[in-house]
Amino acid sequence: MLPLNIFKSCDILLPYNADMQRWAVIACDQFTSDAAYWQRVRAFAGDAPSAIHLILPEAELGSEGEAAAVAAINETMLSYLNGDIFAVYPNSYIYVERTLQNGSVRPGLVGAVDLEAYDYRPGSESAVRATEKTVLERIPPRQRVRRDASIELPHVLMLCDDDEKKLIEHITAIRHTLPMLYDFDLMEGGGHITGWLVSGNVAMDFDRRLEAYTAAVPGKYNDLAGAPVVLAVGDGNHSLATAKSCYEELKHANPNLDLSDHPARYALVELENIHDVSQGFEPIHRIITHTDAEKLLADLQAICTEDGFAVDFVVGLRKGTLHLDRSRGELAVAMLQTFLDDWLAQNPGEIDYIHGDSEVCDLARQENAVGFLLPPMAKHELFRGVISGGVLPRKTFSMGHAREKRYYLEGRKIK
């Protein structure tokens, strides 16, 4: 039996009477090699209330000043909570519309996901699951930032597989009847964002719809052997895994304490529908260099059939198509990545992950190289791939461009 209340309303913090363009800051795991980006953000925010004073960009993780920076963040969080910075919206969701660079509008709903229902480990059968493999080494540095924090700011994007569009789209239809909370342009070319308060009867109606959606999930995937997934992490999984790890630490340190309603049990996320027209899934191609391309292609024939998944390859100026055996899995990228991982463990070669078709073709022109052009992943394949094969291989797909990632905006007390 799947738990029904894995995503719920909560007490949400928003800055009161602040310059929202200075407040909202892009996810910390972006522009990790671009120190100038973060310098511009700090200069633009100045001393004004801003999320940049409450987060540590990953570009600065492991630096000599990390410990002092984390201490300053925790102190600033407390000063914001004790000062006249935040308005509190109790038992609420926030409906969000993000206008992207191409002009499309991406709707979402900010709320709290139950970390008891989430497990990022491979082989998990939890209702909330990671889509790609979690790199465990990336969690401890993030724990150092979150462990003593009194506020969380989310950049996690959670996905539902709502092809009937009964959850978020119902709120879209009535958004102009709701109180508007913010409406502004995001800094650094992040597009535009608008948010409306979802509370009272509208929130309860969403809860009922989510319960019905959850109850129907097992029947939706009854042709697959794996445990069904209700929600999947589309972006920000390492941050969500950090929240889970800190919560598990708290449970371990307090074995006799009832934590069933503790704020650390939940994490603030934005829920989006994978089937919304604004959700663009871009393939991430593979290039193998310093390798024996012909041997690789010959060995790859072992997992090919005449009518399998079509994957194009490029060697020099030569192009061709392979057909990967559909009986081996739900996703072509998963089969190819598994093969390449095993093959490269026994043969020379270096793998890289490339977004553009032309870039792959250019790289494949060098000696001892082969490129693979993967087809776009159909939206209905994501949940099915996670259910049937566990977490997907790294670099399976990309959700939008760097400046389209979530900005820190809403917050929640976690202590």
Side-chain angles (χ1 to χ4, degrees), residues 114-127:
D114 187 355
L115 295 173
E116 287 283 1
Y118 161 70
D119 191 344
Y120 55 81
R121 294 172 296 181
S124 165
E125 296 187 348
S126 58

Side-chain angles (χ1 to χ4, degrees), residues 66 135-145 147 242 245:
E66 179 190 300
V135 181
L136 299 181
E137 292 79 9
R138 295 180 64 183
I139 296 177
R142 291 161 178 77
Q143 285 181 296
R144 295 196 296 267
V145 179
R147 188 170 282 122
T242 300
S245 298

Side-chain angles (χ1 to χ4, degrees), residues 83-357:
D84 189 24
I85 299 295
F86 288 118
V88 182
Y89 296 91
N91 299 319
S92 298
Y93 299 103
I94 295 181
Y95 170 74
V96 175
E97 288 189 345
R98 172 82 175 273
T99 304
L100 305 177
Q101 292 173 319
N102 63 6
S104 64
V105 176
R106 187 178 71 200
L109 190 68
V110 177
V113 68
D114 187 355
L115 295 173
E116 287 283 1
Y118 161 70
D119 191 344
Y120 55 81
R121 294 172 296 181
S124 165
E125 296 187 348
S126 58
V128 182
R129 230 169 288 174
T131 51
E132 295 187 354
K133 183 178 180 181
T134 304
V135 181
L136 299 181
E137 292 79 9
R138 295 180 64 183
I139 296 177
R142 291 161 178 77
Q143 285 181 296
R144 295 196 296 267
V145 179
R146 186 181 177 96
R147 188 170 282 122
D148 296 319
S150 53
I151 299 171
E152 68 169 357
L153 301 167
H155 75 257
V156 177
L157 295 179
M158 193 75 66
L159 296 172
C160 59
D161 187 14
D162 183 19
D163 54 343
E164 296 183 356
K165 298 185 176 181
K166 292 183 175 180
L167 296 176
I168 298 169
E169 290 77 5
H170 178 73
I171 300 177
T172 303
I174 62 170
R175 67 192 183 285
H176 293 306
T177 68
L178 305 174
M180 182 183 290
L181 298 176
Y182 52 76
D183 184 29
F184 64 99
D185 290 333
L186 295 160
M187 69 164 78
E188 287 288 328
H192 192 86
I193 193 162
T194 310
W196 290 265
L197 180 66
V198 178
S199 59
N201 291 333
V202 179
M204 288 189 289
D205 179 63
F206 172 82
D207 293 341
R208 289 190 290 268
R209 290 171 179 272
L210 182 60
E211 287 186 7
Y213 169 86
T214 303
V217 161
K220 187 172 186 175
Y221 309 111
N222 59 9
D223 62 318
L224 301 176
V229 176
V230 180
L231 303 178
V233 185
D235 200 14
N237 182 64
H238 287 90
S239 292
L240 194 61
T242 300
K244 173 77 170 183
S245 298
C246 288
Y247 172 56
E248 293 297 331
E249 277 187 355
L250 182 66
K251 289 200 297 182
H252 181 74
N254 299 274
N256 299 317
L257 186 65
D258 181 9
L259 299 175
S260 58
D261 201 34
H262 194 283
R265 173 175 169 168
Y266 300 89
L268 204 60
V269 303
E270 180 179 333
L271 178 64
E272 298 181 350
N273 186 6
I274 195 174
H275 294 285
D276 189 85
V277 294
S278 68
Q279 295 287 359
F281 278 24
E282 300 177 2
I284 303 178
H285 307 309
R286 272 66 173 159
I287 181 77
I288 316 298
T289 56
H290 305 100
T291 194
D292 185 339
E294 297 306 328
K295 182 178 188 302
L296 191 160
L297 291 174
D299 291 346
L300 187 53
Q301 291 294 328
I303 63 168
C304 292
T305 60
E306 291 185 359
D307 59 349
F309 292 110
V311 174
D312 294 335
F313 69 87
V314 185
V315 178
L317 297 177
R318 176 166 62 98
K319 296 183 179 180
T321 302
L322 298 167
H323 294 87
L324 305 184
D325 187 353
R326 294 176 184 271
S327 68
R328 293 175 175 265
E330 291 283 328
L331 297 175
V333 62
M335 280 183 278
L336 179 63
Q337 186 65 50
T338 299
F339 169 84
L340 292 175
D341 287 342
D342 293 342
W343 195 88
L344 290 171
Q346 303 176 41
N347 296 273
E350 298 175 8
I351 188 169
D352 199 2
Y353 303 90
I354 308 296
H355 285 268
D357 292 19

